[in-house]
Amino acid sequence: MKNSNSDLIGRHGNDGGDITIQNNVMEQAGMGGAGVHGDYLQVYGPDINATRILYNTTVQNGGITQGFFADNTKSAEIAGNTFTGDFNFFVSGSGPNTNPAALTGAFNVHDNYFDPTQHIGP
């Protein structure tokens, strides 16, 4: 997936279900110009049973992205990913206007590689 105007993947819909993003190269999110940011994953709306983000490579040179926003999920695993380039954040488990109470299971972030040379936030 490459050169999106804003978010690469957006989840909208009803409660339930799972999200699995695995074995992808994701490049250049949020390329819509000044004031636009694109997340690799942005969850809008209801709770999700489980989120799995596994073995992906992200590349960001220009534009603005906040990484993977795995909000409103009951459990998550973010593992084996490689994050490179300029972005504000790598992952989020509960951003603004989300439901932190949705998290009832484990939220595991492990064995990822983050290139710290060009990012702005933690």
Side-chain angles (χ1 to χ4, degrees):
M1 292 174 265
K2 184 176 180 179
N3 294 330
S4 70
N5 180 55
S6 60
D7 300 331
L8 283 173
I9 300 171
R11 195 277 192 177
H12 311 255
N14 299 318
D15 278 340
D18 296 337
I19 294 174
T20 300
I21 301 170
Q22 186 170 337
N23 301 320
N24 297 286
V25 175
M26 305 171 116
E27 184 175 355
Q28 305 303 92
M31 301 303 287
V36 174
H37 82 272
D39 305 318
Y40 297 127
L41 168 65
Q42 176 70 62
V43 175
Y44 299 96
D47 297 347
I48 298 162
N49 293 335
T51 301
R52 293 173 195 87
I53 302 169
L54 307 167
Y55 311 111
N56 298 285
T57 298
T58 68
V59 179
Q60 189 73 29
N61 296 303
I64 299 172
T65 185
Q66 293 179 205
F68 289 103
F69 270 47
D71 300 327
N72 300 334
T73 189
K74 294 179 181 178
S75 67
E77 181 177 21
I78 301 172
N81 300 289
T82 300
F83 298 87
T84 64
D86 8 287
F87 41 87
N88 296 359
F89 300 95
F90 300 120
V91 297
S92 168
S94 182
N97 302 314
T98 64
N99 180 15
L103 185 61
T104 57
F107 194 107
N108 294 310
V109 179
H110 62 90
D111 300 313
N112 297 287
Y113 169 77
F114 301 104
D115 176 1
T117 60
Q118 297 181 53
H119 83 287
I120 297 168

